[in-house]
Amino acid sequence: MAPTEWTVVDFIHRGPWWRNHGIRILNLLLVIPLLTASINGLDSSLVNGLQILPAWQDFFKHPNGKTLGLISAAQVIGSIAGLPFAPFAADNLGRRPTLFIGAVIMLAGVALQSAAFNIGMFIGARGLIGFGLTFALNAAPLLITELAYPTQRGKLTSMYNASWYLGSILSAWACFGAWTGAGTSPWSWRVPTLVQALGPVIQVMLIWMVPESPRFLVAKGLESKAASALARFHSMTNDERDPLIVFEMAQIRHALKMEKEAATSTSFTTLFSTPGNRKRMSIIIALAIFSQWSGNGLVSYYINLVLEGVGIRDAGTKAAINGGLQVWNLIAAMSGALLVDKLGRRTLFIISNVGMLIDFGVWTLTTALFNTMDNTTAAKATIPFIFIFYFFYDIAYTPMLIAYTLEILPFNIRAKGFAVMNLVVSLTLAFNQFVNPWALDAIGWKYYLVYCGWLIIELVFVVVNIIETKGRTLEETAALFDGEQQPQALMQTGGEAATMSMGVPRGPGVWVEEEKSIITDVVEMRDAMPRRVGECSRWMERVDEESGSSQDARSFEAVTV
């Protein structure tokens, strides 16, 4: 008789996640690193909102052209300066300490910025904030991805970048509230800068309540701590012998073992050392470029120029449109995040690119009609097309840029590959922030035609290269690029380990064999993954053969048996 086939779907919690105490507490704790994206949204959007405020313009003598570009790019320049250090901190110190360091540096930058008395001091403060932000941005999504419950990972990592708009909304409406409350007082721009301190203060105070990444702990030989963390938050009975915990630990160990065999040392050159890694990095670099060069940079950082380009000049109207757009962006991005496990990553990317291409073409036409024929009807029509454009952008690129990047990278190069993605985003941002205002001044609406052509290139790349990753564990997803046998080997290892622990008594709510046929809330995962598990004797043979395993690892395996 053939052995029973098992996958991770057979060991997971059934029913709503909020009824599982461990998942409920874990998701609440993950709000702390999730704040990083909102902090980024607030910091990145602030200069956009400040440009609308008359007091800020008067205080800094109405910066324009290259000076305005430098103000907008200062944070990006600081981020680029921190990128060489952030992944090494995350890989050697841990995800939590790296996030803490970033939050402390950001607080120093906020203090300097809120006290700025000239343009140089303001630009320097922006650079310091960017330097600290890059540490937090590198560590937070890694911690979320590597710690989240299996059925929650896709949604949480997608919601991470989608929550960027929470900060952007806070920035837009803080500027609007300051303008209506303080008028032309310098406090109308100093108060919104002080709001930037809120997120870093929360992280400095609470980050140590969040457990460290189990994958980081296993990589450092601390497997008992990793198993304890997984049992605390992934098992309803806090039992390290729970089949799900055994399944996850076995896959993590096996994946790290394969990665070490493939590369004796890990550096930035490892990112391009194998065909699988080169394919990963080509997709990651392309998506990073697309995320900033799809036309979204025109409104994200220069909404003042875009709105004035269609005849909207009232400060209150511009601030209200900016605030409303950020709320719309949040709704669209969160909708995309909730659809990643239903429609799939590839489907959402294709829908997004097709929609952006069509809409941006119409947006270009309405802007051209206003500028060449003074058509006020076309000018009014531009505003809804801006909102429609962002709907299509937000359902894919906002939630999945980071989520997809982290999914396809194996652990040993995850931090470094993610740093490269952030570097490419920062470089394209810097290009946008310097070139966009100059190009809009020089050729006006004709600059939009460049983006129309580029969006065609994006669509072709996405259709040809994006691979669907829906319904796989983190290790299995990363192994998709290394040959067909790699995901199957990971599933076989995890399944064999888990089935060995099924005879161990467990408390209520944990998987038992009689309940195996119950439909779970992630049936898509069952359909998407190959279901191959060998005989349990192979697991015992593998334990004997792995002479390189740590004593801690052998103790863990002995307990599960």
Side-chain angles (χ1 to χ4, degrees):
M1 180 177 177
T4 306
E5 296 179 345
W6 305 98
T7 68
V8 69
V9 74
D10 295 301
F11 311 122
I12 60 172
H13 168 72
R14 303 175 307 280
W17 63 266
W18 55 86
R19 293 183 181 175
N20 184 308
H21 176 75
I23 304 175
R24 185 169 64 248
I25 298 300
L26 176 61
N27 286 352
L28 288 174
L29 290 175
L30 289 179
V31 170
I32 298 170
L34 272 169
L35 280 175
T36 305
S38 298
I39 294 170
N40 184 25
L42 174 57
D43 294 346
S44 300
S45 303
L46 185 65
V47 172
N48 201 28
L50 292 178
Q51 291 177 55
I52 297 173
L53 302 178
W56 184 86
Q57 293 283 357
D58 293 340
F59 193 89
F60 292 111
K61 313 244 185 305
H62 296 269
N64 55 35
K66 293 181 180 179
T67 302
L68 182 59
L70 182 58
I71 293 172
S72 297
Q75 180 181 323
V76 176
I77 294 171
S79 296
I80 294 174
L83 279 174
F85 309 103
F88 289 100
D91 281 341
N92 292 284
L93 301 178
R95 286 33 171 153
R96 290 187 306 174
T98 303
L99 183 55
F100 178 83
I101 292 169
V104 170
I105 296 173
M106 281 190 285
L107 286 176
V110 170
L112 186 65
Q113 179 179 263
S114 62
F117 53 81
N118 59 45
I119 199 70
M121 187 174 177
F122 189 87
I123 291 173
R126 298 291 300 164
L128 185 60
I129 291 172
F131 185 81
L133 185 61
T134 197
F135 282 84
L137 288 176
N138 190 268
L142 297 177
L143 187 59
I144 295 167
T145 300
E146 295 169 1
L147 191 58
Y149 194 77
T151 60
Q152 300 286 301
R153 176 177 51 81
K155 295 182 180 67
L156 282 172
T157 52
S158 298
M159 290 174 65
Y160 167 80
N161 211 36
S163 63
W164 187 95
Y165 286 115
L166 287 173
S168 184
I169 290 169
L170 182 58
S171 171
W173 289 106
C175 290
F176 181 76
W179 176 76
T180 56
T184 57
S185 167
W187 286 105
S188 68
W189 68 265
R190 293 191 190 274
V191 169
T193 63
L194 287 171
V195 173
Q196 288 179 276
L198 181 61
V201 166
I202 293 174
Q203 290 185 325
V204 166
M205 295 176 61
L206 301 179
I207 187 57
W208 302 110
M209 296 176 62
V210 182
E212 183 56 88
S213 160
R215 288 160 178 84
F216 172 81
L217 294 173
V218 172
K220 295 301 180 182
L222 304 173
E223 297 195 16
S224 60
K225 290 185 177 180
S228 176
L230 287 173
R232 179 185 174 192
F233 295 106
H234 289 195
S235 170
M236 287 189 69
T237 57
N238 197 21
D239 188 356
E240 295 180 15
R241 298 170 297 180
D242 188 302
L244 174 61
I245 309 307
V246 180
F247 186 98
E248 290 184 286
M249 285 294 296
Q251 284 206 335
I252 293 170
R253 289 186 60 249
H254 191 62
L256 291 174
K257 179 175 180 290
M258 289 192 300
E259 291 162 17
K260 288 179 181 179
E261 290 174 352
T264 55
S265 62
T266 302
S267 65
F268 278 100
T269 59
T270 310
L271 298 175
F272 305 94
S273 62
T274 67
N277 284 354
R278 286 192 290 273
K279 185 173 183 180
R280 289 183 179 99
M281 294 311 300
S282 66
I283 293 174
I284 289 169
I285 290 172
L287 291 180
I289 294 172
F290 298 166
S291 73
Q292 304 304 321
W293 282 2
S294 297
N296 54 302
L298 292 174
V299 175
S300 295
Y301 295 92
Y302 296 103
I303 190 171
N304 191 49
L305 297 179
V306 171
L307 293 179
E308 288 188 354
V310 291
I312 298 174
R313 303 186 183 280
D314 178 69
T317 302
K318 288 187 285 189
I321 291 173
N322 185 35
L325 180 61
Q326 305 317 313
V327 175
W328 171 260
N329 286 337
L330 175 65
I331 295 171
M334 287 298 180
S335 299
L338 296 175
L339 290 172
V340 293
D341 288 328
K342 294 185 179 297
L343 298 183
R345 283 68 161 162
R346 176 180 166 84
T347 301
L348 282 174
F349 273 121
I350 292 174
I351 293 173
S352 173
N353 278 95
V354 170
M356 284 192 296
L357 176 59
I358 296 172
D359 182 85
F360 201 86
V362 180
W363 177 2
T364 301
L365 177 62
T366 58
T367 304
L369 288 173
F370 173 76
N371 282 270
T372 59
M373 303 175 62
D374 200 26
N375 189 321
T376 56
T377 303
K380 293 177 182 178
T382 300
I383 304 304
F385 281 113
I386 291 175
F387 279 71
I388 295 170
F389 171 85
Y390 267 93
F391 169 80
F392 285 109
Y393 175 86
D394 286 328
I395 62 172
Y397 283 92
T398 297
M400 289 196 295
L401 171 63
I402 290 176
Y404 194 78
T405 295
L406 295 179
E407 280 183 344
I408 66 177
L409 286 168
F411 176 84
N412 68 324
I413 60 170
R414 188 169 291 143
K416 293 179 177 63
F418 185 53
V420 169
M421 186 217 77
N422 283 324
L423 173 62
V424 174
V425 168
S426 296
L427 291 175
T428 51
L429 271 174
F431 177 88
N432 276 353
Q433 290 163 349
F434 276 115
V435 173
N436 280 349
W438 171 80
L440 287 171
D441 285 341
I443 59 176
W445 69 269
K446 295 178 183 177
Y447 183 50
Y448 289 28
L449 295 173
V450 175
Y451 284 106
C452 289
W454 180 255
L455 283 168
I456 296 174
I457 297 174
E458 289 187 11
L459 177 59
V460 173
F461 182 92
V462 165
V463 171
V464 173
N465 292 283
I466 296 298
I467 296 175
E468 184 55 69
T469 62
K470 180 180 71 172
R472 296 180 182 270
T473 66
L474 193 59
E475 283 70 34
E476 290 160 5
T477 297
L480 280 173
F481 294 81
D482 299 313
E484 184 65 25
Q485 74 281 5
Q486 298 286 10
Q488 294 177 354
L490 280 168
M491 286 207 8
Q492 180 172 330
T493 300
E496 289 172 349
T499 53
M500 290 298 293
S501 71
M502 282 163 37
V504 180
R506 295 176 294 280
V510 181
W511 180 93
V512 291
E513 186 171 0
E514 289 79 15
E515 298 167 329
K516 177 177 179 290
S517 61
I518 295 180
I519 298 176
T520 71
D521 57 347
V522 287
V523 69
E524 305 96 76
M525 188 177 294
R526 181 193 299 272
D527 296 334
M529 292 194 302
R531 300 166 58 86
R532 292 181 55 195
V533 176
E535 297 177 358
C536 293
S537 60
R538 298 179 191 167
W539 174 252
M540 299 300 296
E541 293 172 2
R542 183 176 293 111
V543 171
D544 294 334
E545 292 171 359
E546 290 180 354
S547 57
S549 299
S550 65
Q551 185 62 40
D552 192 13
R554 289 184 178 276
S555 299
F556 176 82
E557 292 168 355
V559 170
T560 62
V561 173

